[in-house]
Amino acid sequence: MTKGSDLFVAALENEGVDRIFGLPGEENLDLVESIRRSSIQLVLTRHEQAAAFMAATLGRLTGKPGVALTTLGPGALNLTTGAAYALLGAMPAIFVTGQKGIRSSRQARFQIVDVVATMRPLTKLSRQIVSPTMIPTVVREAFRVAEEERPGPVHLELPEDIAAEACEDVPLVAPHPLELPLASSEALDRAAELIRKAERPLAMLGAAASRPRSTADLGQFVLRTQIPFFTTQMGKGTVPGATHLYVGTAALSERDYVHEAIERADLIVTIGHDTVEKPPFIMSAKGPSVVHVGYEPAHVEQVYFPQTEVIGDLGPSLRLLADRLEGKIPHAGALLPLRDGILDRIAGRATEDRLTPQRIVHDVRQVMPADGIVALDNGMYKIWFARNYRTQTANTLLLDNALATMGAGLPSAMAAAMLHPDRRVMAVCGDGGFMMNSQELETAVRLKLNLVVLVIEDNAYGMIRWKQAIDGFPDFGMSFGNPDFVKYAEAYGAKGSRVTDVQAFRPTLEAAFAGGGVHLVVVPIDYSENERVLVKELRERLPVMGEPG
């Protein structure tokens, strides 16, 4: 005889789960005990939201669902932001919540919330387990649904009486590979004909292009076709940014320098675009034609309505499309003369002796190796990193341009540091976003992670303050005070450094990495560049040097 919680943990082990993030509660003590006696590590966090962010990031980086555990009611509700983060960001995750017994109730309605119904619009699937014998099939289905395109979170509620119930051993269900169909020959032929006829083709790499399974084939497609490309914010790194075909990242929806190429293109091949991202460009009736290449059909929106689609497993489908195009696109490089001018404009003033966003991004890039991982929280600096940070390896700039929630940067970096202890990992957070989950410094120290946390300090909700100003509103309701971040880090057992001199910034980061452990570096930022560059300069955007052929 076994019990439901043992069967549940065995089913997780069957799926290859080696760690679970979360907080226990009285309603899942049987499950916690089963985890204790298993091969799975319980990563105890200080807030359920952080556990959800960490599980989602594990899914994002591996393609396999990360798992988070909470109790009922308030604990479960603290997962909701993380569930939306995973759903909009297409990150596979399994969220397991406890619940009071469902066969008898000795505590009436105490802490009872309908979590299954709450999670339904925030997940791909939300189910309550009502019998131990159904656990193997429910868990297998949960992982299948979480992993299949489009990936995302699944919620399972395990009531305490079902977890504790004795039952006969039930056979586990063996996982099997998820093979996706290839694009049809007709769709490939139609797309290839349009691309061959284009006079100024351009490719765009979106969020779905960064799936671990497809990045190698995507890089080969770009090299074989020789079509210049740009990326969305979440598509950064899918093809090395240093390649001679990269023309920039669409950090804004329009008017930026990369849009010089977009506006001149007569055809854009969007690879893995997901309209959940803030639009990288705005389609119009007079604009370029669009070929949508993706795992799923395009979601037609006011700003995105492609003329033809290539739907199927992205990597193999791109190989077939490249077979039809290699050496057969007469005007493949027509927009390449714009490249140097675009990148030079974006990189302007990156080495000024001020702690501007450009200088901070420049120096971070200098201390991060090609495989180093930077995990961004959400704030004004995210636009600057998206614009200016040149990625050289897939999934090395983790930013969220879908839900775009504050508070995710530190937990996301912690998950990356756990997965890749041999690589440099840095969390970049504003002072506002950092304080939303700063308690996880204790978790990072307890786990003995090697992690640098860069806190950008402006004592305000900087992005909203910027929007408030450019929309003509008076400065109101955006400013706050901060703790002494160095002492704050030290109170958790981490190291802390404050930078006030731009010349000390890069050496301080290098020393933080060299010293190992958890090291918080706080730096003030000069955000006057927000208006000078992102408003005034782009409003009067000068043509980039060079003309397309």
Side-chain angles (χ1 to χ4, degrees):
M1 295 290 285
T2 186
K3 64 178 181 178
S5 61
D6 293 331
L7 198 52
F8 191 91
V9 170
L12 294 180
E13 289 178 312
N14 184 53
E15 298 290 342
V17 174
D18 58 4
R19 57 173 64 92
I20 296 174
F21 307 95
L23 274 72
E26 127 182 36
E27 288 71 28
N28 54 27
L29 287 177
D30 281 284
L31 186 56
V32 169
E33 172 60 14
S34 296
I35 293 170
R36 185 185 70 82
R37 293 187 284 107
S38 75
S39 63
I40 298 175
Q41 176 191 9
L42 177 62
V43 180
L44 190 70
T45 61
R46 303 305 299 268
H47 196 286
E48 294 88 355
Q49 186 184 95
F53 289 147
M54 293 171 78
T57 301
L58 188 146
R60 176 180 186 171
L61 290 172
T62 66
K64 300 294 183 182
V67 181
L69 166 72
T70 80
T71 188
L72 83 173
L77 293 174
N78 281 341
L79 288 177
T80 53
T81 301
Y85 174 79
L87 183 68
L88 270 65
M91 306 176 199
I94 307 292
F95 297 138
V96 183
T97 63
Q99 188 55 276
K100 297 291 185 188
I102 56 174
R103 293 180 177 167
S104 65
S105 176
R106 296 175 59 84
Q107 294 189 342
R109 304 296 297 171
F110 177 64
Q111 288 194 311
I112 298 293
V113 174
D114 189 342
V115 178
V116 173
T118 300
M119 285 290 194
R120 195 163 285 130
L122 300 174
T123 58
K124 295 181 70 177
L125 175 69
S126 182
R127 293 187 66 178
Q128 183 186 70
I129 298 173
V130 297
S131 167
T133 58
M134 67 189 291
I135 286 173
T137 52
V138 168
V139 171
R140 175 81 282 269
E141 175 72 355
F143 276 78
R144 184 188 68 80
V145 170
E147 287 182 45
E148 68 184 5
E149 287 294 331
R150 182 178 180 268
V154 169
H155 166 244
L156 297 178
E157 181 177 84
L158 182 62
E160 60 180 335
D161 54 352
I162 304 302
E165 184 176 336
C167 64
E168 299 290 338
D169 284 333
V170 181
L172 301 175
V173 181
H176 61 271
L178 292 174
E179 302 297 344
L180 299 173
L182 297 179
S184 70
S185 296
E186 293 80 4
L188 289 162
D189 291 341
R190 188 164 54 246
E193 183 179 5
L194 286 173
I195 295 168
R196 285 194 297 265
K197 289 180 178 178
E199 295 184 1
R200 296 175 303 281
L202 188 63
M204 186 198 82
L205 312 181
S210 64
R211 306 274 198 271
R213 62 186 290 157
S214 64
T215 52
D217 289 320
L218 200 148
Q220 284 300 305
F221 175 83
V222 171
L223 291 172
R224 290 175 67 189
T225 62
Q226 291 294 297
I227 299 173
F229 73 94
F230 70 102
T231 75
T232 68
Q233 291 189 41
M234 292 181 74
K236 283 182 74 71
T238 45
V239 172
T243 179
H244 67 287
L245 296 168
Y246 171 74
V247 298
T249 295
L252 306 174
S253 295
E254 54 190 344
R255 294 187 180 222
D256 206 349
Y257 290 110
V258 71
H259 292 92
E260 188 105 347
I262 295 169
E263 290 157 7
R264 298 195 193 193
D266 65 339
L267 178 81
I268 299 178
V269 182
T270 63
I271 300 171
H273 181 44
D274 191 332
T275 55
V276 76
E277 274 206 83
K278 192 171 184 179
F281 67 95
I282 306 294
M283 282 190 71
S284 67
K286 297 179 181 179
S289 298
V290 171
V291 175
H292 172 92
V293 183
Y295 290 104
E296 292 187 314
H299 291 279
V300 175
E301 308 279 356
Q302 184 177 353
V303 297
Y304 188 71
F305 41 89
Q307 280 76 23
T308 193
E309 302 182 45
V310 177
I311 308 303
D313 195 356
L314 204 57
S317 296
L318 286 172
R319 286 202 300 270
L320 294 173
L321 186 56
D323 290 342
R324 291 162 165 80
L325 293 173
E326 190 170 8
K328 300 175 184 177
I329 311 173
H331 304 294
L335 291 173
L336 265 181
L338 296 174
R339 176 183 182 272
D340 289 345
I342 291 170
L343 297 181
D344 286 347
R345 295 275 189 186
I346 290 171
R349 300 195 182 188
T351 55
E352 277 192 340
D353 286 338
R354 294 186 295 148
L355 285 165
T356 62
Q358 300 98 306
R359 180 61 188 262
I360 288 173
V361 173
H362 173 273
D363 284 12
V364 168
R365 177 68 280 182
Q366 295 301 305
V367 303
M368 298 302 288
D371 67 348
I373 298 173
V374 174
L376 299 180
D377 206 272
N378 275 277
M380 197 68 221
Y381 51 88
K382 186 180 81 170
I383 292 177
W384 290 100
F385 271 87
R387 250 177 134 243
N388 292 39
Y389 192 85
R390 297 282 293 278
T391 48
Q392 299 165 4
T393 305
N395 287 310
T396 53
L397 184 68
L398 304 182
L399 61 80
D400 168 24
N401 194 35
L403 184 64
T405 177
M406 298 170 72
L410 176 58
S412 180
M414 290 167 59
M418 292 181 70
L419 277 174
H420 301 291
D422 55 334
R423 291 159 69 173
R424 285 190 173 186
V425 179
M426 179 188 294
V428 179
C429 310
D431 43 9
F434 171 70
M435 290 302 291
M436 290 188 176
N437 271 313
S438 63
Q439 73 284 341
E440 299 307 328
L441 279 179
E442 188 279 326
T443 308
V445 170
R446 175 167 27 93
L447 295 173
K448 296 181 171 59
L449 299 182
N450 291 315
L451 177 66
V452 172
V453 182
L454 178 62
V455 177
I456 295 173
E457 187 175 42
D458 67 335
N459 296 289
Y461 293 114
M463 177 175 279
I464 310 307
R465 191 181 205 179
W466 172 66
K467 287 291 293 181
Q468 189 179 55
I470 65 174
D471 287 348
F473 293 109
D475 186 354
F476 176 75
M478 301 296 164
S479 300
F480 48 72
N482 279 314
D484 181 325
F485 283 118
V486 173
K487 292 180 179 178
Y488 188 78
E490 291 171 349
Y492 283 114
K495 302 165 191 170
S497 300
R498 176 174 290 277
V499 175
T500 54
D501 176 10
V502 67
Q503 300 302 328
F505 181 51
R506 182 175 167 185
T508 300
L509 293 179
E510 288 284 6
F513 277 116
V518 180
H519 196 131
L520 183 149
V521 177
V522 57
V523 60
I525 192 165
D526 179 355
Y527 268 149
S528 63
E529 291 291 273
N530 292 345
E531 185 174 3
R532 186 190 72 79
V533 174
L534 301 180
V535 179
K536 292 179 179 177
E537 185 176 302
L538 295 185
R539 186 180 289 151
E540 303 162 1
R541 189 183 77 201
L542 298 173
V544 298
M545 300 302 292
E547 292 294 327

